[in-house]
Amino acid sequence: MDKEAARKRIEELRALLHYHNYRYYVLDQPEISDAEYDRMLRELISLEQQYPEFITPDSPSQRVGGEVAKEFREVAHLKPMYSLDNAFGPEDLREFDRRVRSLLPGQEVEYEVELKIDGLAISLVYENGVLVRGATRGNGTTGEDITANVKTIKAIPLKLRKPIPLLEVRGEAYMPKESFARLNEQREERGEPLFANPRNAAAGSLRQLDPKVTAERDLSAFMYAIGEVQGYEPKTQAELMEWLLELGFKVNPYREVFNNIEDVINYCQSWHDKRFSLPYVIDGLVIKVNSLAQQEILGYTAKSPRWAIAYKFPAEIAETRLKDIIVRV
Ligand SMILES: CC(C)(C)c1nc(N2CCN(c3ncccn3)CC2)c2cc(C(N)=O)c(N)nc2n1
C-alpha cells in the first residue's frame, strides 16, 4: 500500500474505531464483535508503525499509555471544583428548598436530580475537541495530572463528536461492581491486599504511575458538569447533560427534573433500595437548581454552590443483635 493509500486507510480506521468505541463504551450498544474491533485496531497500529508521521494524540492506538511516570505533576483547574453540602434526610432537603426559594423571591424553581456515583471526581480538558489533559479533583483548585491514565478509560472520548474550541468537563471515574469483584478475586489469588470498596479501587487504579496497570482495571466514567467552556451557553442543567451526551460523553441515564421538593424527596427515597440493583455503587443523589441563570444568582459559599446539595443515603447500620453485644459488668 503506498503512502497516500495508507493515510486514507488510517483516517478511515480511526473514524470507525472512534464510532464503535462510542457505541460500546458510551451507549452500551455495540454493533460489532470485540474480535472485529481488535482486528481493526491491530490494522491501525501496524499502519501507524509503518507510517509514524501519521500518528496523532487522538488516535485510538494512543489509549494505552506510554512510559511509566516518576510522579504526578500538579496542575491548576481552569475553574475551581467545588464541594457539595450534604442533606441526610427529607427535612434537610426542605431546608435547602426554603433557602433557595428565599433567594429567588417570586420565581419558579425546578430541580434536576442525578444519581451520586461513588467514585473519584476528575476533570478533563479538550482543546479543539481533542483530549489534552485529565486531572484528579485534588483540593478543588489544583489536582494531579493523570492524563495518561484517563486515556485508558474507554468511556472517555479521545476526540469529541462535535468541534468546540475549549471545554473543561467534570465527572466521576468509577469501577463497576463486577470489575471490582473480579479484581479482588485476582488479588486474593496473588496474595495481594484487597480493595475495601469500588471507590478505593478506582482511586488506586487512577493513581497508578504505570498507565498499563490502569488500562487493565476496566474503569468507566459518568460526566456531569462543565468548568471553563468556549462556544456553548447551556440554559439548564438538563440541557447541559443532553449536550454532553451529544459530544460523546457517558452521562448517567437516571436523571429527572421536578418543580417541587416533595417530588424530589420521593424520588431520592425511591432509590434507597433500587440502588443495589445498579451495576455501580452510588452513595446518594445530587439535587441541582436546573436553571443556570438561577445558579448564577445563588452563587457559591467558600466551598460549595448554594444551588446544589448531595442527598446521602442513611449508612447501612448493620442491625446488631443485642445478644452479639457483650456487656462487661
Ligand atoms: C458541579 C457540582 C459541584 C454541583 C457537583 N459536584 C459533585 N461533586 C463535588 C464534590 N466532590 C468531592 N469529591 C471529593 C472531595 C470533596 N468533594 C465530588 C463531586 C458532583 C458529583 C456527582 C456524582 N458523584 O455523581 C454528580 N452527579 N454531580 C456533582 N455535581
Side-chain angles (χ1 to χ4, degrees):
M1 180 188 296
D2 74 3
K3 191 164 176 145
E4 182 47 29
R7 196 188 58 73
K8 276 175 60 58
R9 181 61 180 152
I10 283 175
E11 302 237 321
E12 187 183 12
L13 282 166
R14 262 190 213 146
L16 279 166
L17 290 162
H18 275 305
Y19 171 73
H20 287 298
N21 187 80
Y22 175 66
R23 298 282 326 175
Y24 190 107
Y25 289 99
V26 176
L27 300 182
D28 293 334
Q29 296 160 3
E31 283 175 358
I32 58 172
S33 68
D34 296 16
E36 177 48 22
Y37 182 92
D38 293 344
R39 192 202 59 70
M40 286 196 284
L41 183 58
R42 277 198 305 277
E43 186 189 347
L44 173 66
I45 290 171
S46 84
L47 280 174
E48 286 181 347
Q49 274 161 354
Q50 288 168 51
Y51 299 95
E53 66 272 28
F54 292 144
I55 293 177
T56 56
D58 64 340
S59 171
S61 64
Q62 303 305 300
R63 271 198 187 279
V64 186
E67 66 295 328
V68 181
K70 285 179 304 304
E71 82 278 317
F72 293 111
R73 235 163 30 91
E74 185 176 278
V75 289
H77 300 307
L78 306 185
K79 276 197 172 168
M81 291 178 73
Y82 288 91
S83 293
L84 277 171
D85 284 343
N86 289 324
F88 294 102
E91 204 33 56
D92 292 342
L93 289 178
R94 293 188 184 102
E95 169 57 32
F96 168 71
D97 177 54
R98 276 193 291 274
R99 198 171 60 242
V100 161
R101 292 181 186 279
S102 72
L103 295 170
L104 299 168
Q107 294 187 38
E108 294 287 305
V109 175
E110 278 185 333
Y111 293 111
E112 188 259 5
V113 185
E114 303 163 13
L115 300 187
K116 187 170 183 297
I117 312 303
D118 191 10
L120 186 80
I122 58 172
S123 177
L124 307 172
V125 176
Y126 289 80
E127 285 172 359
N128 298 315
V130 172
L131 177 63
V132 295
R133 195 183 83 180
T136 62
R137 178 184 179 284
N139 61 17
T141 307
T142 62
E144 292 161 319
D145 184 327
I146 51 165
T147 307
N149 293 344
V150 296
K151 281 187 163 186
T152 70
I153 301 177
K154 303 273 191 347
I156 291 178
L158 297 178
K159 188 169 84 168
L160 300 181
R161 294 169 64 79
K162 292 189 327 193
I164 175 130
L166 176 70
L167 171 67
E168 183 184 26
V169 61
R170 279 84 190 267
E172 204 85 1
Y174 70 93
M175 185 179 289
K177 290 175 183 168
E178 281 275 298
S179 313
F180 170 69
R182 259 201 317 277
L183 176 63
N184 264 352
E185 262 168 43
Q186 209 179 61
R187 290 173 74 92
E188 177 119 43
E189 276 154 27
R190 295 178 186 164
E192 290 166 352
L194 307 187
F195 284 109
N197 53 53
R199 173 172 34 80
N200 289 6
S205 302
L206 270 176
R207 306 189 48 197
Q208 279 293 326
L209 289 167
D210 179 358
K212 287 184 181 48
V213 174
T214 311
E216 291 158 6
R217 294 291 176 82
D218 189 26
L219 296 173
S220 189
F222 284 117
M223 307 317 281
Y224 54 67
I226 54 178
E228 184 63 61
V229 63
Q230 285 168 14
Y232 177 63
E233 293 274 323
K235 297 262 178 310
T236 66
Q237 181 68 26
E239 186 199 305
L240 165 60
M241 301 293 260
E242 290 304 319
W243 180 69
L244 290 177
L245 255 181
E246 284 162 27
L247 284 181
F249 292 108
K250 193 176 174 78
V251 174
N252 194 274
Y254 301 105
R255 46 188 202 275
E256 298 288 343
V257 174
F258 301 104
N259 64 10
N260 71 88
I261 201 66
E262 293 308 319
D263 286 354
V264 169
I265 289 167
N266 292 336
Y267 186 65
C268 291
Q269 291 181 325
S270 78
W271 274 101
H272 187 268
D273 297 331
K274 272 192 302 192
R275 68 181 149 144
F276 298 109
S277 64
L278 290 168
Y280 42 80
V281 177
I282 63 170
D283 62 341
L285 291 96
V286 185
I287 296 96
K288 304 176 182 182
V289 168
N290 197 27
S291 153
L292 269 69
Q294 291 180 334
Q295 290 181 11
E296 194 102 356
I297 296 167
L298 292 164
Y300 299 81
T301 67
K303 65 180 193 56
S304 54
R306 287 193 193 88
W307 46 267
I309 194 163
Y311 172 83
K312 305 285 278 192
F313 294 126
E316 292 110 64
I317 303 147
E319 270 75 49
T320 307
R321 286 183 299 280
L322 199 54
K323 71 177 179 50
D324 295 342
I325 298 174
I326 300 159
V327 182
R328 299 195 188 294
V329 291

